[in-house]
Amino acid sequence: MNFVNKYGKGILICLLIAIPSWIIGKMFPVIGGAVIAILAGMIIAMFWNDKQNAEAGIKWTSKIVLQTAVVLLGFGMNLGVIFETGKQSLPIILCTITTSLVLAWIMKKVLKVPTNTSILVGVGSSICGGSAIAATAPVIDADDDEIAQSIAVIFFFNVLAAIFFPMLGKALGFDTMHGDAFGIFAGTAINDTSSVTAAASTWDSMWNLGSVTLNKAVTVKLTRTLAIIPITLGLSFIRAKHKINF
């Protein structure tokens, strides 16, 4: 009963945001439920001044539920398929993640972007968009403005990628008889899983490939998502070691 009194209101509010966001995300897969939920939360926070009674439940949900969701994501991944796909895509995944993080660090220096924002944008663009930002933000104690800026950048490029990547793949001369090449391309280069799905499905539709490209792209993307684990652990270790803000 004490748990319900302390956390119930915040958990209920998160649930009331999550369910409609999930439904709308199914209707608009280019955007995805995760991004819609984050944007909805930010909009509500702008007008909701007295959220003291719900704060504990919101924080509990953002940590415990998110961590549980990551574990459940692991249950849904077939290691045999991941290892098989990894033979083709792992070197590309490592290169793209490394390049993205290095570029984020360089742009931070050149444009004088706040450190937390550059970390969130780098992690979001290199791993899995809004989900990676949501997982990383508590680790580095990012504030609402930093999260909002990062989400805005990732959301913008997600939409562009979902729309233009199939055309870019055609211009680059990817194999249209099989979906593997474009699937690896989309799975390693697009941020959110929802946009990966949209781009890969469009490629399948363009060349009547069934769901071959989609299956390859999603598997590569889920393999790439595993990078959340070492990245967040590394950031936690650095923060604990230096005991200072980034």
Side-chain angles (χ1 to χ4, degrees):
M1 194 66 183
N2 290 333
F3 177 87
V4 174
N5 292 334
K6 184 177 181 180
Y7 301 113
K9 185 175 181 180
I11 294 173
L12 179 61
I13 290 170
C14 291
L15 189 63
L16 291 175
I17 295 173
I19 293 176
S21 298
W22 176 73
I23 294 172
I24 297 171
K26 292 291 185 181
M27 297 167 60
F28 300 97
V30 172
I31 302 174
V35 173
I36 292 172
I38 292 171
L39 292 174
M42 291 190 298
I43 293 171
I44 292 172
M46 290 173 58
F47 302 98
W48 185 19
N49 296 321
D50 185 19
K51 50 180 177 288
Q52 184 176 357
N53 293 333
E55 190 171 357
I58 293 171
K59 288 183 177 179
W60 185 88
T61 303
S62 66
K63 291 184 178 181
I64 303 301
V65 175
L66 179 61
Q67 292 168 356
T68 304
V70 174
V71 174
L72 293 175
L73 175 64
F75 283 119
M77 300 174 71
N78 187 317
L79 285 178
V81 174
I82 288 174
F83 286 140
E84 183 63 31
T85 303
K87 294 177 183 179
Q88 297 175 297
S89 62
L90 188 58
I92 303 173
I93 292 173
L94 293 176
C95 288
T96 55
I97 290 176
T98 302
T99 301
S100 181
L101 293 175
V102 170
L103 284 174
W105 180 81
I106 292 173
M107 297 305 291
K108 169 191 178 301
K109 297 293 185 181
V110 173
L111 301 177
K112 302 187 185 303
V113 178
T115 302
N116 278 356
T117 302
S118 67
I119 291 173
L120 293 177
V121 172
V123 170
S125 59
S126 63
I127 302 176
C128 59
S131 300
I133 291 174
T136 305
V139 175
I140 62 175
D141 288 336
D143 61 32
D144 293 341
D145 289 339
E146 291 164 340
I147 296 173
Q149 291 169 1
S150 305
I151 288 293
V153 172
I154 295 301
F155 171 73
F156 176 71
F157 285 106
N158 276 344
V159 174
L160 291 182
I163 295 172
F164 292 109
F165 260 54
M167 290 182 279
L168 179 60
K170 181 180 179 181
L172 292 174
F174 280 108
D175 183 9
T176 59
M177 300 298 293
H178 306 89
D180 286 358
F182 185 82
I184 293 174
F185 176 57
T188 55
I190 301 177
N191 300 328
D192 271 322
T193 303
S194 56
S195 296
V196 171
T197 301
S201 297
T202 300
W203 187 262
D204 279 331
S205 298
M206 287 171 62
W207 309 111
N208 297 316
L209 297 176
S211 61
V212 175
T213 308
L214 177 61
N215 293 337
K216 174 64 73 172
V218 170
T219 303
V220 171
K221 183 63 180 67
L222 291 177
T223 304
R224 180 175 150 207
T225 301
L226 292 174
I228 289 178
I229 299 170
I231 292 293
T232 52
L233 285 176
L235 291 171
S236 300
F237 175 77
I238 294 171
R239 188 168 183 80
K241 182 177 180 180
H242 294 283
K243 295 182 179 180
I244 59 174
N245 289 328
F246 283 88

